[in-house]
Amino acid sequence: MEYEILFSESVMTANTDGFSRWLRGRIGVDILLGLASIPFTMVLTSHPSSLEMSPVLVAGFVSGLYYETQSRSVGRAGFRTGVVGSLPVFWTSVNFVASEISASLDIQGFAVVVGALWVVFVMAINGFGAALCAIVGGWVSRTVTESAERDD
């Protein structure tokens, strides 16, 4: 009986460790920072037509701070943070398309196309903005590290 409990606990630990390793390989800190910025974006947004995207830019800056110490591409990490953090833009697009639900089919089709293009445009703009913030964050990290090394 005791052997069965120990065996099942070790299997669960092995499965959990394997999952966490797999998850770390797939989802980086940049993606997690982008996801973490979404609730702040939603709280700061007063109306669906005007999303407050400053939490995404802050997440991009933090991504740059982190990835500069990891010797990885800071700009790419910031871009990924920005794209993931821009997911609430779907809310504005759905709101726009839903407002045209009583229109004719050709207007509805146009609304869907415009909504999809808007999502891609805003995600790209936020991705580049977060990449710039990440580059600044990487520069800050590098400057602080070099300053601390000189003081030692």
Side-chain angles (χ1 to χ4, degrees):
M1 176 87 100
E2 190 174 319
Y3 174 73
E4 291 174 14
I5 293 171
L6 290 175
F7 177 73
S8 65
E9 287 176 1
S10 66
V11 169
M12 285 178 53
T13 304
N15 287 341
T16 306
D17 290 343
F19 178 72
S20 65
R21 265 187 269 118
W22 176 82
L23 192 62
R24 275 192 301 260
R26 303 286 185 263
I27 298 178
V29 172
D30 50 353
I31 303 295
L32 293 175
L33 285 168
L35 289 172
S37 72
I38 291 173
F40 295 101
T41 299
M42 301 306 282
V43 166
L44 292 174
T45 298
S46 60
H47 192 269
S49 64
S50 62
L51 284 174
E52 177 64 44
M53 298 308 287
S54 57
V56 177
L57 300 178
V58 171
F61 180 81
V62 173
S63 179
L65 290 174
Y66 176 78
Y67 278 99
E68 182 64 35
T69 63
Q70 301 298 313
S71 299
R72 295 210 177 133
S73 175
V74 172
R76 235 182 286 154
F79 185 81
R80 285 190 301 265
T81 300
V83 168
V84 171
S86 298
L87 289 176
V89 78
F90 282 109
W91 183 28
T92 61
S93 291
V94 168
N95 189 29
F96 171 71
V97 172
S99 70
E100 300 298 325
I101 202 76
S102 62
S104 63
L105 277 175
D106 56 340
I107 299 295
Q108 286 178 1
F110 181 71
V112 168
V113 169
V114 168
L117 290 173
W118 177 249
V119 167
V120 171
F121 175 73
V122 171
M123 290 178 102
I125 292 297
N126 283 328
F128 287 121
L132 287 173
C133 289
I135 290 168
V136 170
W139 176 80
V140 167
S141 175
R142 210 173 28 256
T143 303
V144 168
T145 303
E146 289 171 0
S147 176
E149 289 174 353
R150 272 184 280 157
D151 290 341
D152 286 341

